[in-house]
Amino acid sequence: MVTMATTIRPPAVAGRFYPGQAEHLASTVERLLADARAASAACSPPKALIVPHAGYVYSGSTAAAGYVTLDPVRDQVTRVVMLGPAHHVWFSGLALAGADSFATPLGTIELDPGAEAALAQLPQVIIHPGAHAQEHSLEVQLPFLQAVLNEFQLVPLVVGNASPRQVAEVLEALWGGSETVVVISSDLSHYLPYPSARRIDRTTVQQILDLDWPLTDGSACGARGINGLLVAAAERGLRPHLISMCNSGDTAGDRSRVVGNAAIAFEELTDFHS
């Protein structure tokens, strides 16, 4: 009997963007989630989330505020489709990892084995392990998902040079039903003075809430993923609302050069007809 080797994408930024030791990481994530639960207002579980991907000290509280909205569906959601921007390798399209699972200090997450086949007819989707190897935008989300969900499979895609329509086509192919949640990983403005960042980020968030695409790359580093979600949200009748918003000057950073972040949830409207 021949046993096929399992390909695991190991953690690349553990110990830098988030704690590298399992016990420390688990306690950090649980603290962030507990604080978010204490401050959260009741809302319907989302079909999609936009959450930030900076180090936890800078944006972990905002990310946690987004992830606690999944608490009521922790047993229902069994697949997470996650899109994050490319920071290290540039390419055209969207990249699958070519792996069987992703690992964090909290354990491994199996990738959806059917995703590649579901996307096979879309020429903008490629298999590019190098695009994933050092990419933090997806990895930093995983410990939160491991904490708020029970058993789930992952479809991780790094977004390169892709149009809003190309991204929306990928989301459509993977949309699924109530078992699937879409996560778009994105920070907002980068390295602006605090007052400028607040002004620009408010404009960007309002644009998202208005489903007004396209965002520019300068307004959000994950703008290409967000733009695709906005196209899909308009076509699918999703309603966005802001959960939390701040920048690194509010958490742990120098206010002369801040990075903005927000958590935004997209709710499916039960009475929508396309």
Side-chain angles (χ1 to χ4, degrees):
M1 179 179 179
V2 178
T3 301
M4 300 297 291
T6 299
T7 304
I8 301 174
R9 188 272 191 190
V13 296
R16 293 194 290 132
F17 279 70
Y18 60 86
Q21 299 299 316
E23 184 176 352
H24 186 194
L25 175 57
S27 64
T28 297
V29 170
E30 286 302 332
R31 174 181 53 79
L32 290 167
L33 292 170
D35 290 346
R37 290 180 182 114
S40 68
C43 63
S44 299
K47 175 64 179 182
L49 284 170
I50 297 173
V51 283
H53 56 239
Y56 286 7
V57 68
Y58 301 110
S59 67
S61 58
T62 302
Y67 281 116
V68 297
T69 64
L70 298 178
D71 281 344
V73 290
R74 66 177 295 118
D75 297 317
Q76 180 177 337
V77 172
T78 57
R79 185 175 67 152
V80 178
V81 175
M82 183 180 296
L83 277 62
H87 286 89
H88 303 283
V89 179
W90 193 236
F91 58 92
S92 294
L94 297 89
L96 291 166
D100 299 303
S101 62
F102 273 35
T104 79
L106 301 181
T108 58
I109 302 169
E110 180 185 355
L111 302 197
D112 176 8
E116 187 175 334
L119 299 172
Q121 301 305 312
L122 297 179
Q124 66 268 39
V125 179
I126 62 175
I127 297 176
H128 192 340
H132 286 263
Q134 299 299 318
E135 184 52 60
H136 68 273
S137 66
L138 302 179
E139 181 180 332
V140 299
Q141 311 299 345
L142 302 182
F144 283 108
L145 289 167
Q146 288 172 300
V148 299
L149 297 178
N150 287 329
E151 294 296 321
F152 69 97
Q153 293 181 331
L154 183 69
V155 185
L157 289 144
V158 176
V159 183
N161 185 16
S163 70
R165 177 54 61 184
Q166 286 177 319
V167 175
E169 287 174 350
V170 170
L171 293 176
E172 181 64 31
L174 298 169
W175 197 259
S178 59
E179 83 291 339
T180 298
V181 165
V182 174
V183 174
I184 307 295
S185 179
S186 181
D187 297 330
L188 298 178
S189 65
H190 279 55
Y191 309 131
L192 297 175
Y194 185 88
S196 299
R198 282 176 57 86
R199 182 178 67 255
I200 290 171
D201 291 344
R202 281 196 296 265
T203 299
T204 300
V205 167
Q206 189 59 54
Q207 192 173 346
I208 294 170
L209 298 179
D210 292 339
L211 303 181
D212 180 16
W213 59 275
L215 273 63
T216 65
D217 290 336
S219 63
C221 65
R224 296 171 193 236
I226 294 174
N227 287 335
L229 175 60
L230 296 182
V231 172
E235 293 176 350
R236 287 274 186 167
L238 269 59
R239 178 174 59 197
H241 65 272
L242 177 64
I243 300 170
S244 181
M245 178 181 176
C246 71
N247 64 50
S248 57
D250 298 310
T251 52
D254 181 350
R255 289 198 169 193
S256 65
R257 296 176 76 247
V258 305
V259 174
N261 59 82
I264 300 173
F266 288 71
E267 177 189 354
E268 286 186 299
L269 301 180
T270 57
D271 59 349
F272 175 78
H273 300 283
S274 59

